[in-house]
Every structure is written in structure tokens, then in C-alpha cells.
Amino acid sequence: MLQTPSGGADTGTAPAGGRAMSIGTVLNLLRDEFPEVTLSKIRFLEAEGLVEPRRTPSGYRKFSPEDVARLGHVLRMQRDHYLPLKVIREHLDALERGERPQLPAADPGALPEGSSAGEGPEGAGERPTAARVSRAELLAVTGIDEGKLAEWESFGLIGPGADGGYEIEAVTVARLVADLGRFGLEPRHLRIMKTAAERDAGLLEQVVAPLRRHPNPQTRAHAEASARELAELSVRLHAAFVQSALRAGSR
């Protein structure tokens, strides 16, 4: 793992000291420079091998200051140089080998992984964000084909937005659906899980909706933080319920 990123990455996204940080703390640190970064984006970069936080025995991610610096380096290379993750990974590998590679020239027409399609610097579209992927990117990153994606869409497991792009969570969903498929679970089975998740989301939304409508901007910001925390807790509770049910069934 690269410990001291260089080549334009030393802007101070990592705090001093060696304390380990939760993913939420990392998100807050990065948002000072990268306001569009999300928890899903950080998880996506981890899944792609760009950062490797350690895990506690209970499964929590713990990021070191070096991990935060590395994330800042990756995000900066995407934002400033429009580089795909493959090129960024090769650049970081070269730095780890002690080399001093030159970054490729910026290409505003290129889209980094984890971004949505725009109309380019001369178009009227918005700048690509780190929270969406195009259909082509989704297929490339997950390794699935058009037929499989169309099947999953027909069951409502994955779906594009009005712009044709996908939320970054679709990458995780696609990979998990593919993994579960190897155990014989078909889209019609997984649709039940999707419906349950939507019910959970509706319940959590009832909790944060009053805060989101509050006139105080700080209160509205707190609503978003609360929604993220509630989602994390909900996932952990669901996992605990499943593990408990499996153990009960094996007795």
C-alpha cells in the first residue's frame, strides 16, 4: 500500500497522527476538498483495490491517515486529470516501486470510473460526478453482459435513472447478484430482498423526513448524516438477523 502519495496529492486531506478512523470520519475529511464524494464512492474505490483499510474483528473499516491521503490522491487524479482507475492504479504501483512516473495529460473528454456521462467541456451538461456510472461503465466494472443486466432490470433489481446512468450502488448490487446466482439464487428470489430493502428505506425515511424539511441548513445536513448512519445500522441488523436465523435452522 502506498504510504506517501506524491505527484500533486499532498494537499493535506489526511490528519496528523496515526489514529484509525471510521469511514464516516474519512468522508467528512474528504468532503472539504471533494464535496461530491460519498460513502459508496469510498467503498467502490476499496472494491477496486485503490485503498485497503484494515477491518476490526466485527467487520468495521478502519482507515489510517495514509489511507485518507491515498484516497485524496485517487480522487484528485480523477478530478484534475480525468484518469480511469486502471491508469491511476498503474501510477500508484509505479510510485510504490520508487519510480517517478509522469501523469498523462488531462483529457476532459474522458470519464473516470464512478462518474456519469456528461456533454464534455463545451456542452451544457453537468460535470461528471463521483456518485453515478454509465451503462457501459457498469458492464465493464462488473464483467456482466447486456443480457444479464437486462434480465436483472426486468425484475427491478437494478435500474437506470432518467439520464440513463446508474447510482454507484448498482455496481455493488450487480456483483452481489452475480455472486448469489452462483449458488442458484435467481432474480425472482432476490426480488423479495429488494422489496424488503425498499420497505426498510421507507421506514428510515419517516425518521429523517422532518429534519430534511427543517429551515435550518445545519439541521438538514444532520438529516443526511442521520440517514447514512441509520442505513449502516439497518444493514448490520439485517445481517445479524440472517446469521441468527441460519444458526437456528442448523440446530
Side-chain angles (χ1 to χ4, degrees), residues 170-193:
V171 174
T172 301
V173 170
R175 286 174 168 160
L176 292 173
V177 170
D179 288 342
L180 289 167
R182 289 197 288 271
F183 289 87
L185 290 172
E186 301 177 4
R188 59 189 175 88
H189 303 134
L190 303 181
R191 176 60 194 171
I192 299 173
M193 296 184 184

Side-chain angles (χ1 to χ4, degrees), residues 24-220:
T25 300
V26 173
L27 178 68
N28 290 333
L29 287 170
L30 292 173
R31 275 185 168 167
D32 288 341
E33 183 178 353
F34 310 99
E36 293 179 337
V37 72
T38 63
L39 290 173
S40 296
K41 175 66 174 182
I42 296 174
R43 295 191 192 101
F44 175 74
L45 293 176
E46 178 189 359
E48 291 300 308
L50 273 299
V51 66
E52 299 174 7
R54 69 177 180 86
R55 294 273 187 160
T56 66
S58 56
Y60 290 102
R61 296 173 178 85
K62 288 298 180 181
F63 293 80
S64 67
E66 291 78 12
D67 291 328
V68 180
R70 185 180 175 96
L71 282 168
H73 190 50
V74 171
L75 294 169
R76 205 167 293 112
M77 291 173 76
Q78 283 193 313
R79 182 195 63 196
D80 299 342
H81 297 274
Y82 301 91
L83 296 177
L85 293 184
K86 179 184 177 187
V87 175
I88 294 174
R89 189 181 296 108
E90 292 172 350
H91 180 82
L92 295 178
D93 289 344
L95 289 175
E96 288 184 330
R97 293 192 298 268
E99 301 174 12
R100 300 182 66 85
Q102 295 295 316
L103 286 174
D107 179 8
L111 290 178
E113 289 93 337
S115 63
S116 61
E119 295 181 14
E122 296 181 358
E126 295 182 351
R127 180 176 179 167
T129 70
R132 297 184 69 77
V133 294
S134 69
R135 189 178 188 87
E137 288 170 331
L138 178 61
L139 293 171
V141 169
T142 59
I144 62 175
D145 56 36
E146 278 280 1
K148 188 67 69 176
L149 179 56
E151 179 187 13
W152 295 347
E153 288 178 329
S154 71
F155 281 91
L157 301 179
I158 296 176
D163 62 353
Y166 296 79
E167 298 290 339
I168 194 66
E169 286 83 3
V171 174
T172 301
V173 170
R175 286 174 168 160
L176 292 173
V177 170
D179 288 342
L180 289 167
R182 289 197 288 271
F183 289 87
L185 290 172
E186 301 177 4
R188 59 189 175 88
H189 303 134
L190 303 181
R191 176 60 194 171
I192 299 173
M193 296 184 184
K194 175 72 180 301
T195 301
E198 291 171 344
R199 286 199 301 267
D200 291 345
L203 176 62
L204 301 184
E205 179 61 28
Q206 292 179 30
V207 177
V208 299
L211 298 177
R212 282 180 169 153
R213 294 193 295 266
H214 199 279
N216 189 320
Q218 290 185 340
T219 302
R220 292 198 299 271

